Amino acid sequence: MKNKWACLAIACLAALLLSLDLTVLHLALPRLVTELGANATQLLWIGDIYGFALAGLLVTMGNVGDRVGRKRLLLIGAAAFGAASVVTAYAPNAELLIAARALLGVAGATIMPSTLSIIRNVFTEPGERTAAIGIWSGMSAVGFAVGPVVGGVLLDHFWWGSVFLINVPIMLLIVVAGVLVLPESRNPHASGIDLLSAALSFAGVVAVVYMIKEVAHKGIGHADVLTAGVVGIVLLWVFVRRQTRLAEPLIDVRLFARRAFSASILTNLLAIFAMSSTMLMFSWYLQLVLGWSPLQSGLAQLPGGLCSAVGGMAATKLIHRIGRNGVVALGVALTGCSFLLYTTLTLEQNYLALLPAMVIGGVGVGFAFTVNNDNVLATAPKERAGAAAAVSETSFELGAALGIAILGTVLNSAYRANLELPAGVSAEAARESLAGALGVAEALPAEQAGALLRAAQTAFVEGMHLTSAATAAMLAVVAVLAFVGLRGVPKVISEDAPVRV
């Protein structure tokens, strides 16, 4: 196909925008408190509702794309994403903003699996397919790194809604270019969507993600958290049982019997679980410990995203030297090494000392996720590419939610345990988080404020050390699991004979 690299550019642009959109919101949250009067509960929903809608609908939308056409679904989703972005930007109150963020999640769920399944169907040569997936993975990583930079620039000059309006021209470009360039592809043998399976999938995933997120905020002992967890697990169990009885299931559970597929999904989930703390932890460190602005912090993190893109492209050649299991294991191990380097961070860090960790970690992420995503897509029949991509993306969402909940709790617990409040300061808000301590310090006399600030930053850095060490240890285990689990997967997975290892 002459235009396949143009197709990749469109898919990468969509992936870049989705990952960028996830990061700019965090910078805008403080403005939402002052300009919209959003309370703490509303802020949580503004941040979480997008993820709930996205995670819950990925499997369904991946199958819809396989049936109605991946190009059609991507274009519809892109148009809806642009429209929802306008509503989000001009939302007059927190309630409408929450509803608009939910619409963004629905639209995002149509875009994510569509981009990967289009790549799977356009790039039929194994080496080119792996390289294309590497570029796509790298662009997602760049989006996470660029988000704080773009958001910082916009928030310095415009109102909070501007961080969402940047979606509109990019989505217009995707729609126009997509109409002209993208080929249509679908599963010619697929029947209609089983609505009961779609409902079970959505409700089960949302309940589980809600439980995971609320554990971080309230703990496991609350009735709504326990109920959501039990209901979610039961619904997903019923969903899986139903898939084994359908002629055209939403997820072909037999794919999980193929080690290349299941090991890649598990490795992705565990790896993103371990690494999900990086964005939150590192952003707080750069801004609240080192005192950098959001723009400076975003620029500082760019090398990691760029190196991830480089790692993704280099993974293709490395497969032929050390095999797929070797590349994934090496990538995860390199990322673990970067977390070991994070255990050396101090209150007064030279930026050049941060670069090795970001470079090593970025390359490692590019290696691991490129090959794993390629394994997942190549293992499944290309007619089911949308469904396979949706499973992969859902594992990312679940892993990220678990990581933020569990490792975020480890970080906060270590902070509270290590915090030694100076004499005369007993504010409970200072014990809750580093941001809370900074807020308390603003109302104190200069001497007490300086002492509290130093104590809080020291406690946070010590918590970072513990969290980074735990993450490095977990990634070492994941590297071993990847090396063993993916052993025997051929270096070249051909289009006509998907691997059945």
Side-chain angles (χ1 to χ4, degrees):
M1 178 181 295
K2 294 180 180 179
N3 293 327
K4 59 185 174 184
W5 295 105
C7 295
L8 175 62
I10 295 170
C12 286
L13 191 60
L16 174 72
L17 187 60
L18 287 177
S19 56
L20 186 150
D21 191 73
L22 284 171
T23 55
V24 294
L25 174 68
H26 298 296
L27 295 177
L29 286 177
R31 299 278 188 93
L32 300 180
V33 176
T34 57
E35 298 184 28
L36 290 186
N39 59 38
T41 301
Q42 289 171 330
L43 283 178
L44 287 176
W45 279 106
I46 290 168
D48 290 344
I49 193 66
Y50 177 90
F52 289 156
L54 179 69
L57 288 171
L58 278 171
V59 170
T60 299
M61 291 303 181
N63 279 271
V64 169
D66 286 340
R67 287 161 169 77
V68 306
R70 290 112 186 182
K71 172 183 176 178
R72 178 182 298 176
L73 187 65
L74 175 62
L75 297 180
I76 291 173
F81 200 91
S85 296
V86 174
V87 177
T88 303
Y90 290 102
N93 53 56
E95 290 79 10
L96 184 57
L97 180 58
I98 292 170
R101 289 288 294 170
L103 291 176
L104 280 173
V106 174
T110 69
I111 296 170
M112 270 190 174
S114 297
T115 57
L116 271 178
S117 55
I118 286 172
I119 291 173
R120 170 71 167 91
N121 280 268
V122 167
F123 289 87
T124 56
E125 195 277 320
E128 286 189 345
R129 183 195 63 231
T130 307
I133 292 173
I135 296 170
W136 177 90
S137 299
M139 290 302 291
S140 296
V142 169
F144 281 110
V146 170
V149 179
V150 175
V153 171
L154 291 173
L155 291 174
D156 280 347
H157 296 87
F158 305 101
W159 94 112
W160 63 266
S162 62
V163 300
F164 299 105
L165 282 184
I166 60 171
N167 298 341
V168 178
I170 300 176
M171 282 301 174
L172 283 173
L173 177 60
I174 291 172
V175 171
V176 173
V179 169
L180 298 174
V181 173
L182 292 177
E184 187 57 281
S185 63
R186 58 173 60 88
N187 182 356
H189 309 297
S191 58
I193 295 284
D194 180 57
L195 295 180
L196 179 56
S197 292
L200 289 169
S201 169
F202 177 79
V205 171
V206 168
V208 169
V209 172
Y210 174 84
M211 180 269 294
I212 293 169
K213 287 180 176 289
E214 288 302 297
V215 165
H217 297 306
K218 300 192 295 190
I220 193 66
H222 288 72
D224 62 324
V225 177
L226 288 171
T227 300
V230 172
V231 169
I233 291 171
V234 169
L235 289 176
L236 291 178
W237 179 81
V238 174
F239 169 77
V240 172
R241 293 278 296 176
R242 183 170 179 81
Q243 302 316 292
T244 63
R245 298 185 175 95
L246 295 175
E248 285 289 336
L250 292 189
I251 295 177
D252 186 354
V253 294
R254 293 172 298 181
L255 286 174
F256 286 93
R258 301 178 183 180
R259 196 168 73 249
F261 185 89
S262 57
S264 295
I265 293 292
L266 179 61
T267 302
N268 273 351
L269 189 150
L270 293 176
I272 200 65
F273 165 85
M275 291 183 288
S276 59
S277 62
T278 305
M279 183 179 300
L280 177 64
M281 182 174 70
F282 212 54
S283 294
W284 279 40
Y285 172 74
L286 293 175
Q287 295 181 53
L288 303 185
V289 176
L290 299 186
W292 295 358
S293 69
L295 177 58
Q296 288 174 313
S297 300
L299 289 171
Q301 295 178 72
L302 272 178
L306 295 175
C307 287
S308 179
V310 172
M313 291 183 282
T316 306
K317 296 186 180 299
L318 201 56
I319 287 173
H320 296 287
R321 293 179 177 270
I322 60 176
R324 289 176 176 266
N325 65 326
V327 176
V328 175
L330 176 61
V332 175
L334 285 174
T335 309
C337 290
S338 72
F339 276 92
L340 281 179
L341 292 175
Y342 289 144
T343 63
T344 66
L345 298 181
T346 65
L347 294 180
E348 297 160 353
Q349 194 71 39
N350 185 303
Y351 178 65
L352 292 179
L354 297 174
L355 278 178
M358 288 189 286
V359 170
I360 292 171
V363 172
V365 167
F367 284 170
F369 289 145
T370 294
V371 178
N372 271 336
N373 285 332
D374 188 49
N375 290 344
V376 169
L377 291 176
T379 302
K382 72 174 184 177
E383 292 79 13
R384 304 276 295 170
V391 173
S392 180
E393 296 288 355
T394 303
S395 73
F396 270 83
E397 293 297 319
L398 292 175
L402 276 169
I404 292 172
I406 296 175
L407 292 175
T409 300
V410 171
L411 178 62
N412 289 334
S413 298
Y415 166 80
R416 289 191 290 269
N418 291 316
L419 180 62
E420 297 181 3
L421 293 177
V425 178
S426 59
E428 187 59 32
R431 297 186 181 276
E432 289 300 315
S433 68
L434 176 57
L438 294 180
V440 171
E442 291 177 356
L444 294 175
E447 185 175 347
Q448 279 188 321
L452 174 59
L453 182 61
R454 188 76 176 181
Q457 290 174 336
T458 300
F460 180 81
V461 170
E462 290 172 350
M464 275 187 64
H465 292 169
L466 175 63
T467 307
S468 297
T471 302
M474 182 176 179
L475 288 172
V477 175
V478 175
V480 174
L481 290 175
F483 187 80
V484 175
L486 294 171
R487 181 181 293 168
V489 178
K491 296 178 180 179
V492 177
I493 303 177
S494 69
E495 181 72 20
D496 298 326
V499 64
R500 300 183 181 277
V501 173

